[in-house]
Amino acid sequence: MDFKRINNLLKRKWYFQGFNGTPALLYGPARSMVKDMPEFLGYGYTAWVAYFRNDVCYFLYAWDDLRNILKELLKRYRKDKKYLSYLIKEDKKVCVYTKKEFQIIDKKNWNKLSTGELFKLWRRAYELSAHSLQVSHLIEGFTLTTETEIRDLIAREFPSDSFDKTVLLTTPSRHSFMTTEHYELCLITQKIREKGNGKDIAKMISTHQQKYFWKLNSFTCAKKLTVKDFTKEIKELLKKKTDINKFISDYQSIGQKIKEKNKIIKKIKNKKLVDLLLIADALFDIHDRRKEHITWVLNYTDFILSEIAGRFEMDIRDLRYISPVEFEQLPAIAKELHLRRTEGSVYIYFPPGKDLLVFSGSKANKYFAQLEKQNTISATKEIKGVCASPGKVVGMVKVCRGEEEIDKMKEGDILVACMTQPEFLPAMKKAKAIITDEGGLTCHAAIIARELGIPCVIGTKIATQVLKDGDEVEVDANHGVVTIL
């Protein structure tokens, strides 16, 4: 183990991104940061560090890497304004290519493959998932370094109504895939309310299931939704008497919003703000494609792991902590994998993406504790973040760190999460308000909260560490403040 390189990482400053995930399902994104992205773009990350324990992940980005990525992106954009369209084109191309390759994997009869062939198949899926993200890792380099600046520049340009202008100017020029899925589900629900033909509706639900069965996959596991799952979701929409027509109308009127947005952009005098807004819009296109593609890809990386786990009579939760080079050591390393999951483990990638270092237990916990010294939190009764959706409410907190904790959410609770992922959608629909550690103005939580019309405070950094289940809080999203009562 290269202790010098490992210890040098402790001297660097890191951005901690907390969410739910497991190593095996995150190797693709990790490798692409330090190998695929630098090879393709000519710039990228110099290291990846992550800590895992019981499927809670802290994914670390080095601040000097983030700033360098922003610097390179701005330099190339200012040199050639077509650079953004080039990035979008290349991102689409690589996603199309990898999707075709995954469809080849899908046609293989996995349960008839030898165990060795199954190992190769998983590694192929992992390499494809990494390759497909070679462009999209630009996103964090831009959003994490410019979000505050964009808000400040908009406030200077429009001092009297900065929030409304911020929401409008950061509205993407296209719908997210999650919004589109919900829109299509609302169209089916609308047909049911209009007493449409039963056979036609059943066919519509079946088609919808085939198109979106993967939508609740996460970095903790893949979950194949059935027709029954989508039928249940439609019944909930009907039961709540949700204003489906308004949602459908809002979805269809995006063109008008974009016209209004572009009209305002043309009047902005600050050239830097204009550049940042145009880059942000282009990167949303790439960001949403990444979320959709990687959520779909998890079918293969996780379901192949399930097949391997079955052959070795292993707990699939433990197998998700194996590294790409360790499969041949099964089942001898089963206890070590269990230790990594339950006692904690650190995973480090150095360029060119082949040197993966793993250590677990007390060594991992001590190492992560040293990194965490940068994130010391003082006792506080007030948490500050960014308003993603306006409103002011009082309610009881439920802290959800993964799908296993979503069931504790009751109607009217306040959802607190590191960041919301697709599997959080059922909990978000019950929430009176949403609070997250992570996120920007075009993140999943912000978009869904605006659609649901509920207050949302994002980017608090510390909400999941300060708030506890049962805490009564006031969420003043208008000012981005959460107060413990």
Side-chain angles (χ1 to χ4, degrees):
M1 192 173 289
D2 191 339
F3 290 105
K4 184 177 179 180
R5 294 177 83 186
I6 292 172
N7 290 332
N8 283 340
L9 296 176
L10 296 173
K11 301 173 185 177
R12 300 174 71 177
K13 298 296 182 183
W14 300 88
Y15 177 85
F16 288 67
Q17 188 178 71
F19 57 97
N20 304 103
T22 57
L25 301 186
L26 280 163
Y27 288 139
R31 197 200 80 168
S32 63
M33 291 168 61
V34 297
K35 183 177 188 296
D36 300 76
M37 178 186 177
E39 287 180 357
F40 180 72
L41 293 178
Y43 55 98
Y45 294 85
T46 57
W48 168 70
V49 181
Y51 174 80
F52 297 88
R53 188 168 186 171
N54 288 320
D55 299 353
V56 174
C57 167
Y58 288 94
F59 202 98
L60 277 59
Y61 298 88
W63 274 111
D64 52 346
D65 284 341
L66 293 169
R67 293 188 185 100
N68 182 61
I69 289 168
L70 175 65
K71 179 182 176 182
E72 288 295 322
L73 172 61
L74 291 175
K75 182 174 74 174
R76 296 176 192 222
Y77 169 70
R78 286 164 180 160
K79 185 178 180 181
D80 180 6
K81 290 296 192 287
K82 293 181 180 179
Y83 187 59
L84 295 179
S85 57
Y86 162 76
L87 292 173
I88 292 172
K89 179 183 175 183
E90 291 301 316
D91 186 62
K92 287 180 179 177
K93 186 194 297 184
V94 74
C95 286
V96 168
Y97 164 73
T98 54
K99 190 163 188 175
K100 287 180 180 178
E101 292 296 307
F102 275 113
Q103 287 167 343
I104 293 172
I105 289 175
D106 192 37
K107 290 177 182 177
K108 294 182 181 292
N109 195 336
W110 300 352
N111 59 12
K112 290 189 177 180
L113 295 177
S114 69
T115 302
E117 288 172 327
L118 208 57
F119 294 163
K120 289 181 181 178
L121 194 67
W122 186 87
R123 288 178 180 130
R124 175 60 176 158
Y126 144 68
E127 289 170 355
L128 287 169
S129 68
H131 186 56
S132 67
L133 305 178
Q134 63 184 19
V135 176
S136 60
H137 275 302
L138 278 168
I139 295 158
E140 285 73 21
F142 179 80
T143 57
L144 295 178
T145 56
T146 63
E147 186 88 29
T148 300
E149 184 177 15
I150 290 173
R151 286 197 304 271
D152 290 345
L153 289 173
I154 292 174
R156 288 179 208 166
E157 195 83 15
F158 307 98
S160 61
D161 61 343
S162 62
F163 176 74
D164 289 340
K165 285 295 190 293
T166 299
V167 171
L168 180 61
L169 291 171
T170 57
T171 296
S173 296
R174 59 185 287 269
H175 288 296
S176 70
F177 81 90
M178 288 298 291
T179 305
T180 298
E181 185 276 330
H182 187 64
Y183 166 73
E184 292 174 8
L185 201 68
C186 283
L187 291 178
I188 299 173
T189 308
Q190 188 183 57
K191 284 284 185 184
I192 294 172
R193 285 184 174 171
E194 294 170 355
K195 309 297 183 184
N197 182 282
K199 288 184 179 179
D200 289 344
I201 289 169
K203 186 176 180 181
M204 290 171 70
I205 296 174
S206 177
T207 301
H208 192 83
Q209 182 271 339
Q210 292 169 32
K211 186 176 180 181
Y212 293 110
F213 68 87
W214 45 268
K215 75 170 185 174
L216 295 188
N217 288 348
S218 71
F219 288 117
T220 55
C221 67
K223 181 180 180 181
K224 186 171 184 178
L225 298 180
T226 65
V227 167
K228 187 177 179 180
D229 292 316
F230 286 102
T231 302
K232 181 181 178 183
E233 195 171 343
I234 290 170
K235 286 180 179 177
E236 288 174 354
L237 285 173
L238 292 167
K239 183 180 178 181
K240 281 187 172 184
K241 294 183 172 58
T242 307
D243 191 348
I244 293 170
N245 292 333
K246 183 180 183 304
F247 178 84
I248 291 172
S249 176
D250 288 345
Y251 181 94
Q252 293 172 345
S253 66
I254 189 173
Q256 186 59 40
K257 289 181 181 178
I258 300 311
K259 282 183 182 178
E260 186 180 350
K261 169 185 170 180
N262 292 336
K263 188 177 178 181
I264 294 172
I265 288 176
K266 288 179 181 178
K267 295 180 180 179
I268 294 175
K269 297 175 182 178
N270 190 309
K271 186 178 181 300
K272 184 174 185 181
L273 175 57
V274 173
D275 284 347
L276 292 177
L277 289 172
L278 293 175
I279 294 172
D281 196 54
L283 290 188
F284 175 83
D285 187 311
I286 295 171
H287 191 186
D288 189 63
R289 190 177 304 105
R290 177 176 78 175
K291 285 191 287 187
E292 179 177 8
H293 188 75
I294 202 67
T295 304
W296 178 79
V297 162
L298 289 166
N299 290 311
Y300 303 97
T301 48
D302 198 45
F303 289 157
I304 296 172
L305 279 181
S306 296
E307 178 68 27
I308 295 170
R311 295 192 184 191
F312 288 96
E313 298 182 345
M314 279 188 65
D315 188 333
I316 179 62
R317 295 175 300 171
D318 292 339
L319 191 59
R320 293 189 183 110
Y321 284 71
I322 197 168
S323 79
V325 297
E326 292 178 320
F327 285 99
E328 282 74 16
Q329 298 177 43
L330 291 172
I333 60 168
K335 288 184 179 180
E336 165 61 19
L337 298 180
H338 182 73
L339 176 68
R340 292 177 189 176
R341 177 170 72 86
T342 58
E343 300 299 325
S345 46
V346 168
Y347 295 72
I348 300 172
Y349 252 134
F350 289 114
K354 294 181 180 179
D355 302 325
L356 175 63
L357 306 175
V358 184
F359 44 106
S360 57
S362 60
K363 289 182 180 179
N365 294 327
K366 287 177 182 177
Y367 186 80
F368 184 65
Q370 292 181 71
L371 289 167
E372 263 196 318
K373 286 179 181 178
Q374 300 179 20
N375 280 3
T376 303
I377 299 171
S378 302
T380 181
K381 286 286 184 180
E382 187 176 89
I383 300 168
K384 294 183 179 180
V386 176
C387 174
S389 180
K392 187 175 181 180
V393 297
V394 172
M396 183 182 294
V397 161
K398 292 293 174 64
V399 181
C400 296
R401 292 184 174 83
E403 190 174 4
E404 293 178 357
E405 297 186 340
I406 286 174
D407 288 342
K408 66 184 179 183
M409 275 290 295
K410 305 299 181 186
E411 198 75 33
D413 285 340
I414 291 176
L415 173 64
V416 178
C418 293
M419 61 190 291
T420 63
Q421 295 169 292
E423 74 269 23
F424 278 78
L425 197 56
M428 297 172 80
K429 290 178 179 178
K430 295 178 183 178
K432 185 187 287 187
I434 299 169
I435 307 166
T436 69
D437 292 346
E438 309 291 338
L441 290 167
T442 57
C443 72
H444 181 260
I447 291 169
I448 300 299
R450 290 174 201 165
E451 290 173 0
L452 296 174
I454 59 176
C456 179
V457 177
I458 57 174
T460 66
K461 312 298 183 198
I462 61 172
T464 59
Q465 298 174 65
V466 173
L467 299 175
K468 304 290 185 295
D469 285 353
D471 283 349
E472 187 180 28
V473 300
E474 178 188 75
V475 180
D476 182 359
N478 299 323
H479 298 94
V481 177
V482 178
T483 306
I484 302 173
L485 301 178

